[in-house]
Amino acid sequence: MPNLGVAAIVLFCLTPFYWMVATTLRPPNQQFDNSLIPRSVSPENLIAVFDPSVGFHRALLNSFLVAGITTALTLVIGTTTAYALARLTFRGKKIVLAAIIATVMFPGISLIVPLLKLFTDIGWINTYQAMIVPYLSFALPLTVWLLTTFFKQMPFDLEQAAQADGCTPGQAFRKVILPIALPGMFTAAVLTFIMAWNEFIIALTIVNRPKMQTVTVAISQFTGAQQFELPFGTQMAAGVVVTIPLVLLVLICRRRIIAGLTAGGVK
Amino acid sequence: MTAQSASTAPLRDPEPRPLTRAELWKRRTPLLPGLLFVIALTQIPFLFTVYYSLQGRNLLRPDSGEFVGLANYGTVLADPLFRNAVTNTVVLTASTVVLSTVLGIALAMLLDQRFPGRGVVRTLLITPFLVMPAAAALLWKTSMYHPVFGLLNWALSPFGVNVDWVSQFPLLSIIMVLTWQWTPFMMLIVLAGLQSQSPEILEAAKVDGARAWTTFSRITLPHLRQFIELGILLGSIYIVQTFDAIFMITQGGPGQATTNLPYFIYQQAFRAFDVGEAAAAGVIVVVATIIIATFALRVVSNLFEENS
């Protein structure tokens, strides 16, 4: 009986994703066909997604740039900040840490009003930076939190030993501390990339020029290449295309991500 | 135990010589820019939100922008649509968190056992979490829930079920999508906890004749506590903010049946153009999330303590 329950849960988790792939691979004239295994397989839906009139490749490029730059900046800023918080003692440190972590709980939608006003005033509407800056503010708290716990676990003697051996504090950080913190940084980078790649509300409200849209917004407004029909097949193909990068990313580095997450977060 | 504490003792800081103020600042300065940048980036938008929430600002009245004190908060709290959104958010978040945690624990228990093809199954089970939420919403809306072509009705048709899921059970439809997306997340966290369990203790319980359920509830569950707590906390914080699924599947409807707080704020700001009230609602949501998250964590902790 428990096995039956678990089997049902597994089915619940896997069927929708399988169906997405199966619908993508069906030729358009069979798209409402409910046979469990597609009768015939064709790449037509995938080709339709990349039809130049849809502009989907531009959206993909936008998403890659925005998510990539966000990840890089988050790592640089987050690592130095986390190191500062882990190693420095100053009055009000707890409050600073609490304030930063509380930002994780700010729903993006509650910030969208001032952001939209601000970006309109400084002419940032329809730009990459108008997405990257808010994403930084969502990604940094988690990164800082993950990495602070990481740095705290490292004994202070590591740097002291390095400095006794003639390293400057900067060198001690780069050559001794950073290599040990790599798993944590790696996890933070993957999580940040996923967050930025999937973000929707800000990308939806700050950008209104189709050329600057990210894939999340492009997908939500996806009506497919052909008009006057339900473009199931093309929609699902678009879904598959945007999911593949993340699946690959996690497939390759699953072990490291979980190690970094639990080592930093739980202890 | 004694051996361990003996080995860590010398690692403790050997009482560092007190530094002078100048020395302290020399050490701190290179680290400060990052810190200040993070504080500015994370806190300033929220302060702006608070500022707007105190103003009578409506984009349809260009002359507006006067200071109105807490009037916006009064209006929002008295708004029946806001209260409806609060109820929907609580129902949505609580059901999704409970369901995905239970399902996640079950899957984690499955994956903790050895069987051929475990790696493949594990990877496949993570995929729902990786599907872009916007794409997932589209997938469920069209391929799963569609009244004529949807897989759900097709699979249930032998039992005489033929339902327009999104319009007849809107909240349930959203909960199903969110549970589907968040189960793998809970599973991953619980699995990490299961694998950090010491096999010796489990072996000892078996030797002592403990039944599977007793071992699970007395040993495994208390051990998993901090992992489940982390999952529930992170999960509820993110699920409260759900927007994509509602925007794409139900548009908050039918009527206001699935309007949660984020969607309510979106409507206030971009349909009614009432920036002041939208900002006030935003501040309320932030404060409430922080209070509830703190409270939820306490309750969960107490629950576990009573059990163990």
Side-chain angles (χ1 to χ4, degrees), chain A residues 49-50 54-68 128 131 135 193-204 207 209-223 234-235 237-246, chain B residues 130-136 138 244 247-248:
Chain A
V49 170
F50 287 105
V54 181
F56 199 69
H57 22 22
R58 178 59 198 247
L60 271 176
L61 176 72
N62 290 340
S63 271
F64 264 114
L65 284 174
V66 169
Y128 287 145
M131 289 181 266
Y135 293 178
F193 189 88
I194 295 181
M195 193 267 338
W197 181 259
N198 285 342
E199 205 285 333
F200 184 65
I201 306 175
I202 291 180
L204 175 77
V207 170
R209 235 177 58 210
K211 269 205 139 175
M212 295 302 287
Q213 275 173 352
T214 59
V215 276
T216 37
V217 182
I219 277 197
S220 78
Q221 298 170 356
F222 212 71
T223 44
T234 356
Q235 284 178 339
V240 170
V241 170
V242 297
T243 304
I244 287 171
L246 297 191
Chain B
L130 301 175
V131 176
M132 179 179 282
L138 204 61
D244 322 25
F247 179 83
M248 293 186 62

Side-chain angles (χ1 to χ4, degrees), chain A residues 112-127 130 205-208, chain B residues 52 59 270:
Chain A
I112 199 72
V113 175
L115 285 179
L116 190 64
K117 177 87 175 61
L118 177 71
F119 291 154
T120 313
D121 289 348
I122 60 176
W124 274 20
I125 297 297
N126 288 323
T127 59
T205 42
I206 299 261
V207 170
N208 51 33
Chain B
Y52 283 127
L59 299 180
F270 298 104

Side-chain angles (χ1 to χ4, degrees), chain B residues 104 107-108 111 122 125-126 183-192:
Chain B
L107 286 183
L111 289 181
R122 191 182 288 184
L125 284 177
I126 302 172
T183 299
F185 173 80
M186 299 296 184
M187 174 193 85
L188 277 181
I189 292 186
V190 174
L191 191 60

Side-chain angles (χ1 to χ4, degrees), chain A residues 62 68 113 137 146 153 156 177 196 226 247 256 259 263:
Chain A
N62 290 340
V113 175
S137 76
L146 255 176
Q153 288 167 23
F156 223 144
I177 296 299
Q226 302 107 329
V247 173
R256 287 211 209 167

Side-chain angles (χ1 to χ4, degrees), chain A residues 145-230:
Chain A
W145 176 60
L146 255 176
L147 292 178
T148 306
T149 39
F150 240 89
F151 287 133
K152 267 191 187 155
Q153 288 167 23
M154 297 173 198
F156 223 144
D157 309 66
L158 276 176
E159 290 114 296
Q160 283 173 350
Q163 288 182 30
D165 289 347
C167 281
T168 64
Q171 280 175 326
F173 175 69
R174 271 200 315 276
K175 294 190 174 162
V176 178
I177 296 299
L178 270 191
I180 308 178
L182 263 181
M185 291 172 65
F186 188 80
T187 308
V190 173
L191 293 179
T192 303
F193 189 88
I194 295 181
M195 193 267 338
W197 181 259
N198 285 342
E199 205 285 333
F200 184 65
I201 306 175
I202 291 180
L204 175 77
T205 42
I206 299 261
V207 170
N208 51 33
R209 235 177 58 210
K211 269 205 139 175
M212 295 302 287
Q213 275 173 352
T214 59
V215 276
T216 37
V217 182
I219 277 197
S220 78
Q221 298 170 356
F222 212 71
T223 44
Q226 302 107 329
Q227 260 188 322
F228 305 121
E229 58 176 315
L230 285 167

Side-chain angles (χ1 to χ4, degrees), chain B residues 3-265:
Chain B
Q4 200 187 6
S5 55
S7 72
T8 50
L11 285 176
R12 289 273 151 74
D13 279 11
E15 273 314 307
R17 146 188 91 83
L19 296 163
T20 64
R21 198 159 267 262
E23 274 179 310
L24 266 177
W25 277 109
K26 205 179 151 200
R27 264 197 186 184
R28 281 174 194 170
T29 342
L31 300 169
L32 282 181
L35 191 58
L36 291 178
F37 192 64
V38 170
I39 295 171
L41 262 184
T42 54
Q43 309 303 314
I44 286 177
F46 182 63
L47 294 179
F48 261 106
T49 311
V50 174
Y51 169 71
Y52 283 127
S53 74
L54 302 174
Q55 291 186 325
R57 197 177 277 270
N58 190 316
L59 299 180
L60 298 179
R61 292 183 290 123
D63 57 326
S64 61
E66 72 282 3
F67 181 78
V68 294
L70 296 175
N72 284 326
Y73 291 88
T75 319
V76 168
L77 288 174
D79 188 346
L81 293 182
F82 175 78
R83 293 183 188 174
N84 168 62
V86 171
T87 318
N88 284 341
T89 310
V90 171
V91 173
L92 207 66
T93 312
S95 335
T96 308
V97 168
V98 170
L99 279 173
S100 55
T101 309
V102 172
L103 299 189
I105 294 176
L107 286 183
M109 297 296 286
L110 167 79
L111 289 181
D112 197 37
Q113 287 151 21
R114 280 175 197 288
F115 57 88
R118 183 173 71 160
V120 180
V121 174
R122 191 182 288 184
T123 310
L124 279 175
L125 284 177
I126 302 172
T127 43
F129 189 60
L130 301 175
V131 176
M132 179 179 282
L138 204 61
L139 160 70
W140 279 84
K141 183 186 177 185
T142 55
S143 297
M144 296 290 126
Y145 290 147
H146 195 283
V148 182
F149 308 115
L151 189 65
L152 209 51
N153 272 351
W154 178 80
L156 294 176
S157 60
F159 307 101
V161 178
N162 189 8
V163 180
D164 185 353
W165 291 92
V166 175
S167 54
Q168 280 178 273
F169 303 102
L171 211 50
L172 181 69
S173 302
I174 302 280
I175 291 172
M176 276 218 275
V177 178
L178 294 179
T179 305
W180 178 72
Q181 280 198 284
W182 284 94
T183 299
F185 173 80
M186 299 296 184
M187 174 193 85
L188 277 181
I189 292 186
V190 174
L191 191 60
L194 281 177
Q195 296 188 332
S196 68
Q197 242 186 158
S198 99
E200 287 89 22
I201 294 180
L202 294 179
E203 193 58 39
K206 215 178 203 175
V207 171
D208 289 348
R211 275 178 305 169
W213 174 251
T214 322
T215 315
F216 177 73
S217 64
R218 292 288 173 82
I219 298 174
T220 308
L221 216 49
H223 170 79
L224 288 180
R225 176 184 146 178
Q226 51 178 352
F227 293 88
I228 297 177
E229 275 178 15
L230 180 76
I232 289 179
L233 184 72
L234 287 178
S236 33
I237 288 171
Y238 284 109
I239 294 166
V240 164
Q241 306 179 15
T242 301
F243 179 82
D244 322 25
I246 290 168
F247 179 83
M248 293 186 62
I249 297 178
T250 63
Q251 295 274 323
Q256 298 278 324
T258 53
T259 301
N260 68 346
L261 284 166
Y263 199 76
F264 173 81
I265 298 174

